[in-house]
Amino acid sequence: MTKPLRVLQVLRAPVGGLFRHVCDLAGYLNDKGHEVGVVVDALSFDAESQTKLKKLEPHLKLGVHPIAIPRLFGPQDIIAPFQIRKLISKHNIDVVHGHGAKGGFHARLAALGKRNVKKLYTPHGGALHFASSSAAGRIFHLLEKSLIPFSDNIIFESEFAAKSYREQIADPGDKGVVIHNGLSQDDFTPVPSNGEFDFVFVGELRDLKGVEYLLRALPQITKHDGSKPRLLLIGDGPHRQQFEELSTELGIESQVEFAGAQPARNGFARAGIAVVPSLKESLPYVVMEAIAARKNVVATNVGGIGEIFGPEKSQLVPAADVGALAKAMQAHVDGDKDLNNRNNRLLAHVGEEFSLEKMAGDIAQVYLNQ
């Protein structure tokens, strides 16, 4: 058997697909006999974060380490790499893997000069979501480019992310590796809907997720019996209030429920059609999860969603297009005659290309390759 590795995963806030990715990876590595520790942001370490990490603790033999990592650059960014560097020495870390813009920045800086420590980075969108024209974007992109020589590998979760990185930052050459996110076998258990809602959105309530376009599309849709469809929004975020106000302004507040943050499968159990109206994405777990749960899925053609849809990519709709989104949602409500065949092709594609075993196994192999 290969010598067990001691791995330190570095991320900022334990939320969303990035955290799901780290959890799945940590569980897999632990099951294979490796030892894992996690660094998270102490500034956003609330009760909900603590609950999530508590569930992960059995897979973390090297523990959870809260360190202040602000979302935007500040004085703490000078201190954090030194704190992580101490952890690397204390736990004799073999691999340090940074996730997201800030996690990747601190992980690689912390391991500078440590020849026996492998340095990896997965963007998860991260700096790629910052426009090059903005001050923050210019800073992040410059830092990304400067850290490529100090990275052993950069793991992209989609071909789209790899292409965007080459165009916006630089070509990492042979250091760049594409490994798709993956789902566990449990995720492929069907989730029947109780029909309480027609549509469900699962994600962070912020502009980037296209919630405004979803709300504006809803009034254009009518059910067979002439009634109006209902929409369930699972998630929370910085723009929740403005979306609540918009639903009132559009006169659809009785059709919409803001249910707050909870597991995606709770939403899948209450609605038959999942809508992902994002303006930007990397490789969103929620699209794969909805397909695996046997939901009908309406999604925009952004980021790596086309890779998830594979043979059904032509079914995706343009982003920021209320009319196109409403048309696709109406077609699902009407029950397109070829819908079952398309869903079966989607399910087969996701099951073959996006498994947890494949994702984590491929990443572990990158860790082990010298």
Side-chain angles (χ1 to χ4, degrees):
M1 178 181 168
T2 308
K3 171 184 171 290
L5 297 173
R6 298 169 71 81
V7 183
L8 188 64
Q9 308 282 350
V10 183
L11 61 152
R12 205 182 69 79
V15 295
L18 187 157
F19 183 57
R20 159 76 189 265
H21 177 90
V22 171
C23 288
D24 287 347
L25 183 55
Y28 176 91
L29 292 170
N30 180 72
D31 291 346
K32 296 298 180 183
H34 304 294
E35 296 182 1
V36 184
V38 169
V39 171
V40 295
D41 173 31
L43 301 174
S44 57
F45 195 74
D46 55 16
E48 187 180 344
S49 301
Q50 205 159 7
T51 301
K52 288 179 179 178
L53 289 163
K54 195 78 177 172
K55 293 178 182 176
L56 187 57
E57 275 182 7
H59 303 296
L60 301 177
K61 290 188 173 66
L62 302 182
V64 177
H65 307 278
I67 289 174
I69 304 174
R71 183 173 182 273
L72 298 177
F73 283 105
Q76 188 59 40
D77 289 305
I78 300 171
I79 302 168
F82 291 101
Q83 294 174 304
I84 297 170
R85 191 175 182 87
K86 285 182 180 178
L87 288 173
I88 292 171
S89 297
K90 178 182 176 181
H91 294 288
N92 297 314
I93 296 298
D94 300 301
V95 177
V96 61
H97 188 167
H99 300 267
K102 273 304 192 73
F105 170 70
H106 288 308
R108 289 174 290 175
L109 276 185
L112 276 180
K114 289 186 174 287
R115 293 185 179 181
N116 295 327
V117 178
K118 195 160 189 178
K119 308 157 196 70
L120 291 97
Y121 166 51
T122 300
H124 297 281
L128 301 177
H129 286 163
F130 288 86
S132 301
S133 56
S134 69
R138 286 193 294 272
I139 292 170
F140 272 120
H141 291 182
L142 180 62
L143 286 170
E144 290 280 354
K145 189 173 183 178
S146 66
L147 284 169
I148 292 173
F150 306 104
S151 310
D152 289 290
N153 287 106
I154 300 176
I155 300 176
F156 300 102
E157 64 276 30
S158 66
E159 295 286 354
F160 169 82
K163 180 175 180 289
S164 298
Y165 195 92
R166 288 193 299 270
E167 292 173 351
Q168 296 181 42
I169 313 296
D171 186 350
D174 293 341
K175 293 182 178 184
V177 183
V178 175
I179 299 176
H180 286 131
N181 292 335
L183 302 179
S184 70
Q185 284 304 309
D186 290 344
D187 289 308
F188 286 89
T189 304
V191 181
S193 167
N194 63 11
E196 184 183 357
F197 291 85
D198 301 281
F199 302 106
V200 60
F201 165 89
V202 181
E204 192 176 5
L205 298 183
R206 58 179 179 133
D207 286 340
L208 210 60
K209 296 298 182 179
V211 179
E212 176 184 343
Y213 298 92
L214 173 56
L215 293 173
R216 292 189 183 279
L218 194 65
Q220 300 182 29
I221 301 158
T222 305
K223 297 171 71 173
H224 293 292
D225 60 4
S227 64
K228 288 295 183 180
R230 300 194 68 210
L231 167 65
L232 175 65
L233 292 136
I234 299 287
D236 217 329
H239 301 140
R240 175 171 176 163
Q241 184 177 341
Q242 77 181 48
F243 295 142
E244 289 176 337
E245 291 171 354
L246 178 60
S247 68
T248 301
E249 178 188 320
L250 294 169
I252 57 172
E253 65 270 28
S254 63
Q255 297 172 240
V256 179
E257 180 179 314
F258 289 82
Q262 53 185 278
R265 290 173 79 85
N266 287 9
F268 297 158
R270 300 173 71 188
I273 305 166
V275 187
V276 184
S278 300
L279 308 184
K280 288 186 179 180
E281 285 289 356
S282 181
L283 194 81
Y285 270 101
V286 69
V287 176
M288 295 185 287
E289 289 171 333
I291 293 167
R294 314 301 198 274
K295 300 289 102 176
N296 297 324
V297 182
V298 177
T300 49
N301 189 14
V302 297
I305 295 179
E307 293 167 52
I308 299 173
F309 264 63
E312 298 301 314
K313 184 179 178 180
S314 63
Q315 303 303 320
L316 297 174
V317 301
D321 188 330
V322 173
L325 184 62
K327 183 179 178 181
M329 291 167 68
Q330 183 69 61
H332 278 70
V333 166
D334 292 341
D336 186 315
K337 63 180 181 180
D338 194 41
L339 194 56
N340 285 338
N341 290 333
R342 293 208 306 267
N343 286 347
N344 288 336
R345 289 192 292 268
L346 261 179
L347 182 64
H349 176 68
V350 170
E352 185 177 343
E353 298 295 331
F354 299 90
S355 73
L356 169 58
E357 192 74 19
K358 187 174 188 300
M359 175 199 86
D362 288 351
I363 292 175
Q365 196 55 52
V366 172
Y367 289 174
L368 290 164
N369 288 341
Q370 301 300 319

